[in-house]
Amino acid sequence: MERSDLMAMMAELSLSGMRAAYDEVMRDGLKRQRPVQQILGDLLAAEVAEKKARSIRYQLGAAKLPLARTLSEFDFTASPVNEALVRDLHDGGFLKTQRNAVCIGGTGTGKSHICIAVTANCVRRGARARFFNVIDLVNRLEAEARAGHAGKLADQLTRVDLVVLDELGYLPFSQSGGQLLFHLTSKLYSRTSVLITTNLSFAEWPSVFAGDAKMTTALLDRLTHHCDILETGNESWRFRNRS
């Protein structure tokens, strides 16, 4: 059988990884006189690797991360944040027990950077995640409720491993928006890990939820039941390093 015939069949079967590696694997296998089983194994390994890479690319797109950030880009020497805890979260083990994490600090202290890096690495390790700006999420929940589809997004998010709520506290919600966010986090409790960034201490959270102290207390009770707290301080890294 000719090479072109093999290539055509691999294309028809959507074996793009095997197809891309075929010439190199065959050339190396013949040169080293490798057994047929090993050559076939190398081709199959190339296909598996390609399918995994394709899945990761898809899941990273589905996560809707706003930027590409890695932990290697974060300057731990310029931040008071607990590096060991950040690296532990980065490894993704907290997802197995549906633990949560709250990252507290001032504007420009690297909260979102850390959370994006953690989320991206979790996805690369096989997790499913979804990133939201909190205000955008509340607006979406309110629109969903007005359309008569309340709870639809919450049901979808219980099927992912990690939900990120970015920038809690920068703008207050309406009372109805706060209630919808409360119901969402309640639905995720013990099912999906939640990672939150905020510029507010826990004592200040009622100001975001229309002054509803009882609802805020109930939210914090669920959120912090199994939770790690990261503090990035108040000195802006972006301000300090601007040109």
Side-chain angles (χ1 to χ4, degrees), residues 78-95:
S79 173
V81 73
N82 185 330
E83 181 178 353
L85 180 53
V86 172
R87 294 195 181 280
D88 183 61
L89 293 170
H90 190 255
D91 288 340
F94 71 106
L95 300 179

Side-chain angles (χ1 to χ4, degrees), residues 37-54:
Q37 294 93 328
Q38 189 169 354
I39 293 175
L40 180 58
D42 289 344
L43 288 170
L44 289 171
E47 182 60 32
V48 169
E50 169 59 23
K51 278 185 165 49
K52 284 184 178 179
R54 197 182 312 142

Side-chain angles (χ1 to χ4, degrees), residues 22 28 40 50 56 63 76 99 112 126-127 174 194-195 241 243:
Y22 178 82
D28 185 65
L40 180 58
E50 169 59 23
I56 289 170
F76 284 100
R99 286 186 65 81
S112 297
S174 65
V194 177
L195 189 52
N241 291 277
S243 55

Side-chain angles (χ1 to χ4, degrees), residues 49-112:
E50 169 59 23
K51 278 185 165 49
K52 284 184 178 179
R54 197 182 312 142
S55 175
I56 289 170
R57 288 194 297 270
Y58 173 82
Q59 290 297 341
L60 283 172
K64 304 294 184 184
L65 296 173
L67 299 165
R69 290 286 184 267
T70 65
L71 214 54
S72 61
E73 298 167 330
F74 188 82
D75 185 4
F76 284 100
T77 64
S79 173
V81 73
N82 185 330
E83 181 178 353
L85 180 53
V86 172
R87 294 195 181 280
D88 183 61
L89 293 170
H90 190 255
D91 288 340
F94 71 106
L95 300 179
K96 296 177 183 177
T97 54
Q98 293 77 48
R99 286 186 65 81
N100 303 316
V102 179
C103 193
I104 304 171
T107 301
T109 57
K111 303 184 301 297
S112 297

Side-chain angles (χ1 to χ4, degrees), residues 3-231:
R3 175 186 178 280
S4 58
D5 296 325
L6 291 170
M7 286 292 180
M9 285 191 287
M10 285 187 279
E12 188 171 348
L13 292 169
S14 300
L15 299 173
S16 56
M18 187 180 289
R19 194 167 184 264
Y22 178 82
D23 289 334
E24 182 181 350
V25 169
M26 290 300 297
R27 185 167 54 249
D28 185 65
L30 293 172
K31 180 180 178 181
R32 300 181 182 221
Q33 297 183 323
R34 288 178 169 172
V36 173
Q37 294 93 328
Q38 189 169 354
I39 293 175
L40 180 58
D42 289 344
L43 288 170
L44 289 171
E47 182 60 32
V48 169
E50 169 59 23
K51 278 185 165 49
K52 284 184 178 179
R54 197 182 312 142
S55 175
I56 289 170
R57 288 194 297 270
Y58 173 82
Q59 290 297 341
L60 283 172
K64 304 294 184 184
L65 296 173
L67 299 165
R69 290 286 184 267
T70 65
L71 214 54
S72 61
E73 298 167 330
F74 188 82
D75 185 4
F76 284 100
T77 64
S79 173
V81 73
N82 185 330
E83 181 178 353
L85 180 53
V86 172
R87 294 195 181 280
D88 183 61
L89 293 170
H90 190 255
D91 288 340
F94 71 106
L95 300 179
K96 296 177 183 177
T97 54
Q98 293 77 48
R99 286 186 65 81
N100 303 316
V102 179
C103 193
I104 304 171
T107 301
T109 57
K111 303 184 301 297
S112 297
H113 183 137
I114 290 171
C115 290
I116 291 170
V118 166
T119 303
N121 200 56
C122 288
V123 170
R124 292 189 187 98
R125 288 171 174 255
R128 292 166 298 171
R130 186 67 166 86
F131 185 102
F132 292 97
N133 172 278
V134 173
I135 294 298
D136 292 341
L137 173 61
V138 169
N139 288 340
R140 180 169 171 178
L141 292 172
E142 290 184 316
E144 184 183 72
R146 287 194 299 271
H149 302 301
K152 183 178 179 181
L153 179 59
D155 288 338
Q156 293 173 354
L157 293 178
T158 60
R159 295 192 287 272
V160 305
D161 303 294
L162 174 63
V163 171
V164 182
L165 306 180
D166 192 37
E167 296 189 343
L168 175 72
Y170 286 85
L171 289 172
F173 313 130
S174 65
Q175 186 174 16
S176 62
Q179 290 171 346
L180 289 167
L181 185 60
F182 170 76
H183 288 306
L184 170 63
T185 54
S186 296
K187 192 86 179 257
L188 298 179
Y189 177 63
S190 293
R191 296 183 182 183
T192 299
S193 291
V194 177
L195 189 52
I196 294 178
T197 72
T198 180
N199 62 335
L200 301 178
S201 66
F202 290 139
E204 296 174 296
W205 282 31
S207 65
V208 177
F209 291 89
D212 193 327
K214 285 187 177 180
M215 185 172 67
T216 307
T217 299
L219 171 67
L220 286 171
D221 183 61
R222 288 166 173 77
L223 184 66
T224 60
H225 182 212
H226 298 292
C227 187
D228 294 305
I229 309 298
L230 295 166
E231 297 184 74

